[in-house]
Amino acid sequence: MKIMKFGGTSVGRPERMAQVAQLITADNEPKIVVLSALSGTTNALVEISNALAAYKRDEAKQLIDKLEAHYHAFVKDLVKQDASVAKATAIVHEHFEFLNIILKISFSDALNKDILAQGELLSTKLFCVFLAEIGIDHALLPALEFMSIDMNDEPQVPVISAKLKDALAQHAGKSLFITQGYICRNARGEVDNLKRGGSDYSASLIAAAVQASVCEIWTDIDGMHNNDPRVCKKTVPVEQLSFEEAAELAYFGAKILHPASIWPAQHYNVPVKLLNTMEPAAKGTLIVEEAGSTGVKAVAAKDGIYAINIRSSRMLLAYGFLRKIFEVFEKYRTSIDMITTSEVAVSVTIDNATHLAEILKELEPFGTVEVEDNQTIVSVVGNEIAETKDVLMKLFDSLKDIPVRMVSYGGSRHNVSLLLPSAHKTTTLQALNSGLFGLE
Ligand code: ASP
Ligand code: MG
């Protein structure tokens, strides 16, 4: 069985949905197709939720109406036969009626999750109407019946696997299944989600749960590129990455794949392929256990980083000091990305400033604490990169004019990370593109 996941832009227009239908019927292997919401929908639902949370009902109503109009126009171009139009229109009505009812209920976190779930419910149901119209046999597998997270909001593959097998068993004889990405049930049985961009994670969890032959992630770019295509003129797709390389790249900013989606595939050893809906014949990127080659593969950047520097001539010599510092971050469930230390100071970076004020207050007794915001982590990734000496030479040579604030090297053999002010990101990525890859 294989898993094929299509992102928002791949289903965002009626003609794209038609293309997806072609791609999923190109071979006879049984498959589970995971869909995101139509592009723009989840953002719109977030806006609706925010308006409701702020008691701006009129604004929420306007946003709901605007989104509903978008869906009616979508349906008009998606299906042709009267019966299909009626069916699709009824689906749109049903979900927007739900949103309109929500307008009258007092807002809560659980309700917020219900609102956010509408996008994937709509995209999958409409896609199924389209498949039925063009005569493609299939079954809709409601993700809320099998995708679950535990009390710590963590998905457990064995649990998902058991539920998914039950769901599949209800459709004997079928070999094409459509399901929602992103949405799940939490430990309280409520509708929940796997966080923004979570459809990739859904696909990888499902792939692990059924021990799929491959987990294909279809987007609108031909694989993971060696550098950010929005910043550098010339970038090239990377043909093969190891799970570890891919995890570093996804975590440190390569937008193409949700970082959490690596572990299920890696743990259950399911190859992941990143493919392009607009160019299905392109090779894309294959992610497997083996790296394929050594040396530098790609560069990624992650913005919105805070650097926290703690200086103390007295404390740093003492053992247990780092533990005490880490405990503060642990207490506020804030994860640390980069760390550098010297004899008198330690610097760490975080990307989540929700509890920054409390963290800073609790760090005060340890020494002088300084924070800098608007920082960017630039991560250079490649199998055994740390052992490839000319890479390091070229790397630091390329950075001559960049005020690098932190360097992390040696934590993993596949990664060198740099921290710099975000204002220098563009020049850094461009300098590395020419310095490391010989590209413009
Ligand atoms: N629709 C969700 C989002 O926009 C999940 C996804 O597309 O992966 O975040
Ligand atoms: Mg995505």
Side-chain angles (χ1 to χ4, degrees):
M1 191 161 221
K2 81 175 184 186
I3 311 306
M4 296 176 85
K5 179 259 167 179
F6 294 88
T9 44
S10 302
V11 291
R13 286 164 41 164
E15 63 272 23
R16 297 269 158 79
M17 275 203 177
Q19 238 175 324
V20 171
Q22 275 183 4
L23 290 169
I24 63 175
T25 49
D27 64 60
N28 288 328
E29 187 172 356
K31 48 187 76 78
I32 301 179
V33 175
V34 181
L35 301 186
S36 288
L38 311 196
S39 50
T41 295
T42 310
N43 285 343
L45 293 168
V46 169
E47 277 185 61
I48 291 167
S49 261
N50 289 345
L52 282 173
Y55 304 101
K56 295 180 182 158
R57 292 229 159 112
D58 293 341
E59 191 185 316
K61 175 66 181 150
Q62 274 173 20
L63 292 165
I64 292 171
D65 290 346
K66 190 172 149 210
L67 190 62
E68 180 168 5
H70 176 70
Y71 274 85
H72 284 298
F74 188 90
V75 164
K76 225 177 85 216
D77 290 334
L78 180 70
V79 281
K80 298 279 164 289
Q81 293 161 14
D82 289 348
S84 321
V85 175
K87 223 175 182 178
T89 306
I91 291 166
V92 174
H93 273 145
E94 177 198 331
H95 287 275
F96 281 90
E97 197 182 345
F98 173 76
L99 287 174
N100 278 306
I101 289 171
I102 274 180
L103 275 177
K104 300 182 189 110
I105 310 175
S106 59
F107 187 80
S108 68
D109 190 43
L111 205 57
N112 174 37
K113 304 281 176 56
D114 268 318
I115 295 172
L116 297 182
Q118 301 308 307
E120 273 70 13
L121 293 170
L122 276 161
S123 66
T124 47
K125 289 186 189 177
L126 293 176
F127 185 60
C128 286
V129 175
F130 175 70
L131 287 182
E133 179 174 271
I134 60 174
I136 297 174
D137 190 34
H138 68 279
L140 178 67
L141 283 183
L144 297 177
E145 283 178 15
F146 64 84
M147 189 54 75
S148 57
I149 49 177
D150 66 13
M151 265 157 45
N152 302 312
D153 292 346
E154 292 294 337
Q156 301 297 346
V157 173
V159 177
I160 295 165
S161 179
K163 290 187 194 159
L164 183 52
K165 275 176 193 147
D166 286 346
L168 288 168
Q170 289 168 32
H171 301 281
K174 299 272 181 195
S175 59
L176 177 62
F177 299 93
I178 314 300
T179 192
Q180 296 89 17
Y182 180 58
I183 62 174
C184 63
R185 268 191 206 283
N186 62 27
R188 293 178 298 279
E190 299 157 348
V191 173
D192 210 319
N193 61 62
L194 300 174
K195 311 269 157 59
R196 294 305 305 272
S199 293
D200 294 342
Y201 197 14
S202 302
S204 148
L205 288 164
I206 293 169
V210 300
Q211 278 291 297
S213 61
V214 60
C215 178
E216 296 182 351
I217 306 285
W218 291 81
T219 61
D220 52 359
I221 176 168
D222 49 348
M224 188 97 82
H225 277 225
N226 74 298
N227 204 327
D228 190 334
R230 293 161 304 185
V231 175
C232 297
K233 258 197 231 145
K234 180 136 187 48
T235 60
V236 290
V238 183
E239 267 186 40
Q240 186 171 330
L241 288 168
S242 67
F243 286 120
E244 282 179 40
E245 289 172 327
E248 304 265 16
L249 283 171
Y251 187 72
F252 287 115
K255 289 285 174 308
I256 185 166
L257 190 64
H258 189 283
S261 51
I262 307 287
W263 76 259
Q266 180 170 24
H267 192 80
Y268 291 83
N269 204 11
V270 179
V272 176
K273 264 189 198 170
L274 307 178
L275 295 160
N276 187 353
T277 319
M278 320 296 166
E279 218 185 304
K283 262 193 185 151
T285 300
L286 173 68
I287 306 170
V288 285
E289 197 57 52
E290 292 295 313
S293 61
T294 53
V296 62
K297 293 273 180 63
V299 173
K302 184 172 170 180
D303 295 323
I305 305 292
Y306 296 77
I308 302 171
N309 181 268
I310 305 134
R311 235 173 318 120
S312 158
S313 47
R314 210 158 31 94
M315 301 289 284
L316 264 171
L317 292 166
Y319 54 81
F321 181 73
L322 284 177
R323 179 178 54 76
K324 286 181 198 137
I325 288 185
F326 290 159
E327 269 171 4
V328 174
F329 290 88
E330 191 185 340
K331 179 169 166 194
Y332 293 101
R333 302 183 72 162
T334 300
S335 76
I336 293 171
D337 285 334
M338 272 177 86
I339 312 164
T340 54
T341 60
S342 81
E343 199 54 33
V344 292
V346 48
S347 283
V348 303
T349 72
I350 59 171
D351 63 359
N352 173 359
T354 317
H355 299 291
L356 185 60
E358 294 105 304
I359 290 171
L360 294 179
K361 189 143 186 41
E362 294 208 21
L363 287 175
E364 250 166 43
F366 299 113
T368 316
V369 182
E370 277 166 12
V371 190
E372 275 174 85
D373 60 358
N374 289 322
Q375 303 289 302
T376 292
I377 293 177
V378 170
S379 208
V380 183
V381 173
N383 182 36
E384 308 287 349
I385 195 174
E387 270 103 88
T388 324
K389 293 221 172 42
D390 68 320
V391 169
L392 293 185
M393 241 171 56
K394 285 185 198 162
L395 171 63
F396 288 106
D397 221 35
S398 316
L399 298 172
K400 291 196 288 286
D401 304 320
I402 312 290
V404 176
R405 203 185 163 295
M406 282 168 74
V407 179
S408 171
Y409 160 59
S412 129
R413 298 212 309 276
H414 318 299
N415 171 302
V416 181
S417 290
L418 314 157
L419 185 77
L420 37 106
S422 300
H424 292 270
K425 175 176 103 169
T426 301
T427 32
T428 305
L429 291 182
Q430 287 165 351
L432 293 173
N433 214 38
S434 60
L436 291 177
F437 302 97
L439 296 168
E440 226 177 288

